[in-house]
Amino acid sequence: MEIMRRSFKGIIWLVCSLSVLSVSGCTAYKAGMEQAKYDPIQYRLPKMQCVFTPSTSVHMLDAGFVERAVRSEIETNIMEQNGPSMGILEVKCERVQSKSGLFLPILSGITLWSANLLGMPFNAGKLSVDLSFVIKDLSGNIIREYDYSRNGKWISAIYYGEDASVRLLELCRSIMNEFKEDLVKDYSWISGALSGAQSGVGNSGYGGAAVSRDNPGMTDLENVIIRWAVDSDPQGARVFWRVISNVPQEVKNTNETYLMTTPYEETRPFNILGLTYENSTNVQIEIKITKRGYADQVKRFNVRQAIDQQEISTFFELVPEDF
């Protein structure tokens, strides 16, 4: 009779625990959570064939889960779904690794979930996800490659935490958000390269038309978004820039233009009159910084290199004038 009473109490504890768990604060996976929310990038990529390739070390169920999340984000927010295919987007799932111990589940069972009612997690673990994205033209030439890695921990408890599937989805979305940011920076290059491969325009992916006031905004180079990042120590130095051209008959030299003080970071296009991809090797951007009490400093950047890298980034170590 005593054994029956103890067994009955154990069953009551288990039922109560599971009842509390069903209305707990722990976030559990629900079907359809992989569907992306509508948050498109400013300019979607042209339509491409999307190929998902999981590594042989990735479990089939994990690979399927990641693929659904990635494809939903691509179709909803990244890529046009109409028109002819302009290239190939290959998504490689290199790793999905999950580690969890048996200590917490066993301890939860031993205590008949009573410790969990007091706040002890009933499971915990670590997750690692590696994804790479390769954009190719229809001939298989690689245009851009991106590699991302995320690591995280998950804890499942009655009043807090989340299960492993929810945490895996969060890591995937973090990667996709970074991928979207990189695509915004590289959009002009990718779009131009895909269009150039279709039309036979040279390897640069940019047409030969020069930037002009007669038809503003219609040339490929005007749509190239360059990340400008200038910093100094100490900060607060004034930043100026100007164009220096070795082909003044095509691209004119300009006077200094004030930007702002360091740290300066902005994304902006190259609206340099007369500029083409072909003559960009003969054009430089000069960045000058000034600060009272410190010597002026100047650095120059080749425009072709800036276009290819989509970035002008530099740091100035200021030197006192009386040094």
Side-chain angles (χ1 to χ4, degrees):
M1 183 66 69
E2 183 64 25
I3 293 176
M4 291 181 64
R5 286 199 191 97
R6 290 179 180 177
S7 299
F8 183 69
K9 289 181 179 179
I11 293 172
I12 291 176
W13 266 109
L14 181 60
V15 170
C16 291
S17 301
L18 293 176
S19 299
V20 173
L21 179 61
S22 65
V23 294
S24 72
C26 179
T27 305
Y29 169 77
K30 298 178 182 179
M33 290 182 73
E34 306 97 312
Q35 294 300 310
K37 296 180 180 179
Y38 184 73
D39 183 25
I41 58 178
Q42 185 176 8
Y43 300 107
R44 294 176 187 261
L45 295 181
K47 182 179 179 181
M48 291 182 283
Q49 179 185 356
C50 185
V51 180
F52 186 89
T53 307
S55 169
T56 55
S57 62
V58 178
H59 192 278
M60 182 175 62
L61 293 178
D62 292 333
F65 183 83
V66 173
E67 180 177 5
R68 291 193 298 274
V70 169
R71 282 189 181 275
S72 178
E73 189 69 49
I74 290 173
E75 294 172 0
T76 304
N77 296 316
I78 292 177
M79 188 189 300
E80 295 286 356
Q81 298 302 304
N82 299 318
S85 180
M86 301 283 285
I88 302 168
L89 173 57
E90 184 176 355
V91 184
K92 299 179 181 179
C93 183
E94 307 285 0
R95 179 176 63 145
V96 177
Q97 190 174 50
S98 178
K99 295 181 180 180
S100 61
L102 295 175
F103 176 74
L104 288 175
I106 291 175
L107 185 59
S108 297
I110 291 175
T111 62
L112 295 178
W113 301 87
S114 58
N116 303 112
L117 290 173
L118 297 175
M120 186 190 81
F122 49 81
N123 208 351
K126 298 180 179 180
L127 274 171
S128 298
V129 184
D130 294 343
L131 290 175
S132 66
F133 302 82
V134 183
I135 299 176
K136 304 177 181 179
D137 62 27
L138 291 176
S139 298
N141 300 310
I142 295 177
I143 296 173
R144 275 288 190 268
E145 293 185 73
Y146 304 90
D147 297 290
Y148 305 99
S149 181
R150 290 291 188 278
N151 300 300
K153 298 179 180 180
W154 58 273
I155 297 176
S156 295
I158 291 179
Y159 311 110
Y160 59 94
E162 58 198 355
D163 64 28
S165 296
V166 174
R167 186 58 175 148
L168 176 57
L169 182 58
E170 290 175 352
L171 296 179
C172 288
R173 284 183 173 157
S174 175
I175 288 176
M176 295 307 294
N177 286 336
E178 185 176 355
F179 181 45
K180 288 162 67 176
E181 292 176 0
D182 289 338
L183 290 177
V184 170
K185 298 175 185 177
D186 296 343
Y187 171 79
S188 297
W189 170 266
I190 295 170
S191 179
L194 291 173
S195 300
Q198 288 279 30
S199 62
V201 175
N203 292 333
S204 70
Y206 299 106
V211 177
S212 170
R213 287 197 182 98
D214 297 331
N215 201 11
M218 298 305 294
T219 61
D220 290 337
L221 287 182
E222 288 174 89
N223 295 316
V224 176
I225 304 300
I226 305 295
R227 174 180 175 265
W228 296 58
V230 182
D231 203 356
S232 66
D233 183 20
Q235 295 180 337
R238 298 181 181 90
V239 182
F240 301 84
W241 79 289
R242 69 183 180 115
V243 175
I244 298 177
S245 172
N246 294 328
V247 285
Q249 69 278 10
E250 299 177 20
V251 180
K252 304 295 184 184
N253 294 296
T254 66
N255 296 324
E256 286 183 351
T257 301
Y258 174 71
L259 294 175
M260 62 174 291
T261 58
T262 57
Y264 167 71
E265 184 169 356
E266 186 180 18
T267 54
R268 51 186 294 157
F270 269 154
N271 292 325
I272 302 173
L273 295 180
L275 184 68
T276 67
Y277 188 78
E278 286 67 30
N279 66 25
S280 61
T281 55
N282 295 310
V283 183
Q284 292 180 311
I285 297 295
E286 181 184 274
I287 293 181
K288 175 182 176 181
I289 65 169
T290 66
K291 185 176 176 66
R292 184 175 299 175
Y294 295 87
D296 295 350
Q297 292 192 37
V298 171
K299 291 185 180 180
R300 293 180 178 179
F301 301 86
N302 183 269
V303 170
R304 169 73 67 86
Q305 185 176 4
I307 292 172
D308 290 343
Q309 295 181 349
Q310 307 277 295
E311 183 176 55
I312 292 178
S313 179
T314 188
F315 180 86
F316 292 84
E317 190 76 41
L318 299 186
V319 179
E321 288 182 337
D322 56 354
F323 180 75

